[in-house]
Amino acid sequence: MGTGHFFWVIFYFASLCSASLANNAKINFREKEKKVLDQILGAGKYDARIRPSGLNGTDGPAYVSVNIFVRSISKIDDVTMEYSVQLTFREQWTDERLKFDDIQGRLKYLTLTEANRVWMPDLFFSNEKEGHFHNIIMPNVYIRIFPNGSVLYSIRISLTLACPMNLKLYPLDRQICSLRMASYGWTTNDLVFLWKEGDPVQVVKNLHLPRFTLEKFLTDYCNSKTNTGEYSCLKVDLLFKREFSYYLIQIYIPCCMLVIVSWVSFWLDQGAVPARVSLGVTTLLTMATQTSGINASLPPVSYTKAIDVWTGVCLTFVFGALLEFALVNYASRSGSNKANMHKENMKKKRRDLEQASIDAASDLLDTDSNATFAMKPLVRHPGDPLALEKLRQCEVHMQAPKRPNCCKTWLSKFPTRSKRIDVISRITFPLVFALFNLVYWSTYLFRDEEDE
């Protein structure tokens, strides 16, 4: 009997457990969610027009924590000074009117897709130019209500934001583009925005920009005071560094090559006028086209940019090479004229000497044989002017010889002045251009961060 009684007791408890599990299995928690939503958001129970109360049910301002996730940055436009970004925007606050029973932890949160069912902060992006929501396939937005009344709002949006730029150091510059968020109607007495503690801004790991690199980002507060009150404001500054390799390949190296090509005319013969003129004009026009193409991709600012200094100096060097040929051509023509005049003078002097020698010979032949010749004294007196002149000549010859000038000695190897101009230009132009490069790169590459 004892064994049978024990068997019936075990069977009874097993039946109770199976019944309890069956009842739990029949509970539909989606139906529970509907009842909870009807209970907290039913007609006459919740008014979305009234903001939540402050901390601990006081009449203080409602605090809203904000964090964003940057999904992509599609472009940064230098001409319009704007940038486009796609981000997931999140807000979280506490509304005690939305507390509910979580059924012993079974309901972790309630999910809504209609933002107008609950009170929402009136946040707007103050530096926004354009923006739109994403509705493919369904609107990318949700609201989660937690049992303690905490509300999480998340939405995916794309924005085109203004980004004022300082292009004085272009293309060796860094730009700071801001994202500003502020309350439109609620003052700080009613609504305060705060950055979420820990990690307020996240950026996708594989973020890629064609001409920029995102170095870092900083979060800050930017509360603004107007005639209607003080409004809470948040901002995040994105620091972008421009990628220099593109401009090095597309601008700096081609300009440097054009300047070097213009120096080829210094090595051509001064008589090759068509070749030197064609080379100078071609490089000058190419450099001007390169400069205009660079300026077309930038806004017309009133200050001088770093790229303007480079292109301006390169254009000056190319133009200087063309002017150098004009100077060489002028010196060559004037030198040839002087040479012709010198030849004519030498011929004239030679003819005069020949005529004088012929006249002297004829005079000797016509002289009487009995004529006496005046003999010059063999000894000069101290006061004799001829003796003083000979003494001066001896003193001059006895002076120490001057030290020869190496530059003049080297230039004396080139007979014409035009050739000397070409030789001097071969050395001067590269040296001055190298000095300019040293000053340029040391100025713009090794500048202080504060100057940026």
Side-chain angles (χ1 to χ4, degrees):
M1 279 303 286
T3 304
H5 180 70
F6 180 73
F7 174 77
W8 284 109
V9 170
I10 293 176
F11 178 77
Y12 176 75
F13 279 106
S15 300
L16 290 177
C17 292
S18 61
S20 177
L21 292 174
N23 291 332
N24 289 335
K26 293 179 180 179
I27 295 177
N28 190 343
F29 287 98
R30 303 290 78 79
E31 290 292 334
K32 292 290 184 180
E33 289 183 8
K34 178 181 180 303
K35 291 181 180 180
V36 171
L37 288 174
D38 293 338
Q39 179 182 357
I40 60 178
L41 298 177
K45 294 183 179 181
Y46 184 85
D47 193 346
R49 299 172 297 176
I50 308 301
R51 72 168 180 86
S53 58
L55 295 177
N56 299 323
T58 61
D59 197 27
Y63 290 93
V64 178
S65 298
V66 176
N67 76 304
I68 59 176
F69 175 69
V70 179
R71 292 182 173 271
S72 65
I73 300 176
S74 58
K75 69 173 183 176
I76 301 176
D77 198 336
D78 298 317
V79 178
T80 57
M81 292 192 179
E82 63 186 21
Y83 72 105
S84 299
V85 60
Q86 183 186 128
L87 51 88
T88 298
F89 176 76
R90 304 186 187 98
E91 294 176 311
Q92 192 165 8
W93 67 93
T94 300
D95 192 343
E96 295 184 355
R97 297 172 295 175
L98 299 177
K99 289 182 178 181
F100 63 90
D101 183 15
D102 60 353
I103 312 177
Q104 299 178 355
R106 300 295 181 90
L107 291 179
K108 294 182 178 180
Y109 53 81
L110 305 174
T111 302
L112 299 177
T113 56
E114 299 176 358
N116 58 354
R117 296 291 302 275
V118 297
W119 176 87
M120 294 291 299
D122 60 343
L123 181 140
F124 78 105
F125 298 93
S126 58
N127 60 333
E128 173 211 353
K129 287 187 174 181
E130 295 179 0
H132 66 272
F133 302 115
H134 293 266
N135 297 319
I136 306 297
I137 298 176
M138 293 293 293
N140 299 165
V141 58
Y142 69 80
I143 297 176
R144 291 177 180 175
I145 304 175
F146 294 88
N148 61 349
S150 179
V151 182
L152 173 63
Y153 172 72
S154 178
I155 186 171
R156 187 166 72 100
I157 53 178
S158 292
L159 301 170
T160 300
L161 304 166
C163 178
M165 299 182 183
N166 186 352
L167 299 175
K168 288 184 178 180
L169 301 177
Y170 177 91
L172 301 166
D173 57 336
R174 288 179 171 85
Q175 300 296 337
I176 297 178
C177 295
S178 299
L179 174 64
R180 294 174 175 267
M181 301 162 285
S183 172
Y184 190 83
W186 298 99
T187 64
T188 53
N189 295 327
D190 296 311
L191 180 62
V192 174
F193 289 110
L194 300 173
W195 283 113
K196 182 181 178 181
E197 295 182 359
D199 196 6
V201 178
Q202 301 101 34
V203 180
V204 66
K205 294 183 179 180
N206 58 347
L207 180 65
H208 176 70
L209 297 173
R211 297 187 185 180
F212 287 88
T213 300
L214 180 60
E215 285 193 331
K216 60 182 179 180
F217 50 86
L218 303 173
T219 57
D220 200 357
Y221 296 90
C222 54
N223 291 4
S224 60
K225 291 184 179 180
T226 64
N227 294 332
T228 56
E230 182 179 1
Y231 298 90
S232 181
C233 174
L234 303 176
K235 74 171 183 176
V236 53
D237 293 331
L238 305 173
L239 179 59
F240 295 101
K241 179 183 178 182
R242 197 181 300 272
E243 288 291 340
F244 180 68
S245 58
Y246 168 81
Y247 300 93
L248 180 65
I249 297 173
Q250 297 294 327
I251 296 176
Y252 284 90
I253 293 180
C255 290
C256 188
M257 293 173 64
L258 286 174
V259 173
I260 296 175
V261 168
S262 67
W263 299 341
V264 175
S265 64
F266 303 153
W267 299 87
L268 297 178
D269 185 71
Q270 59 188 10
V273 176
R276 297 187 69 164
V277 171
S278 301
L279 182 62
V281 172
T282 302
T283 52
L284 183 62
L285 293 177
T286 306
M287 191 67 217
T289 304
Q290 181 85 350
T291 303
S292 62
I294 295 170
N295 293 329
S297 61
L298 292 174
V301 295
S302 59
Y303 47 82
T304 303
K305 304 179 289 293
I307 194 67
D308 295 335
V309 176
W310 174 263
T311 56
V313 172
C314 290
L315 189 62
T316 303
F317 271 93
V318 174
F319 184 67
L322 186 60
L323 291 182
E324 188 271 347
F325 170 67
L327 181 61
V328 167
N329 192 20
Y330 173 77
S332 176
R333 286 186 289 107
S334 62
S336 61
N337 294 333
K338 289 182 179 180
N340 294 332
M341 293 177 62
H342 182 68
K343 288 181 181 179
E344 292 295 332
N345 293 333
M346 293 298 293
K347 289 180 181 179
K348 185 177 180 181
K349 289 180 180 180
R350 192 178 296 110
R351 287 195 299 266
D352 293 342
L353 290 174
E354 291 176 355
Q355 186 64 33
S357 62
I358 293 172
D359 294 340
S362 62
D363 291 341
L364 290 174
L365 293 174
D366 295 340
T367 303
D368 187 65
S369 59
N370 295 327
T372 58
F373 296 93
M375 300 299 292
K376 296 181 180 180
L378 296 176
V379 180
R380 298 292 183 185
H381 298 286
D384 192 353
L386 292 176
L388 294 175
E389 183 65 24
K390 292 294 183 179
L391 183 61
R392 292 193 189 96
Q393 293 180 1
C394 291
E395 291 177 354
V396 171
H397 288 292
M398 289 175 65
Q399 290 179 357
K402 294 183 179 179
R403 187 176 181 181
N405 192 337
C406 59
C407 294
K408 291 183 178 180
T409 304
W410 178 68
L411 288 175
S412 64
K413 298 179 180 179
F414 306 98
T416 61
R417 187 172 61 176
S418 58
K419 189 65 175 178
R420 293 175 185 175
I421 295 175
D422 270 343
V423 172
I424 293 173
S425 299
R426 295 173 188 173
I427 301 174
T428 304
F429 273 72
L431 285 179
V432 176
F433 190 68
L435 180 62
F436 162 71
N437 275 269
L438 178 64
V439 174
Y440 182 86
W441 296 114
S442 61
T443 300
Y444 289 105
L445 287 180
F446 303 105
R447 62 192 180 275
D448 296 333
E449 294 291 334
E450 296 179 357
D451 296 338
E452 299 180 11

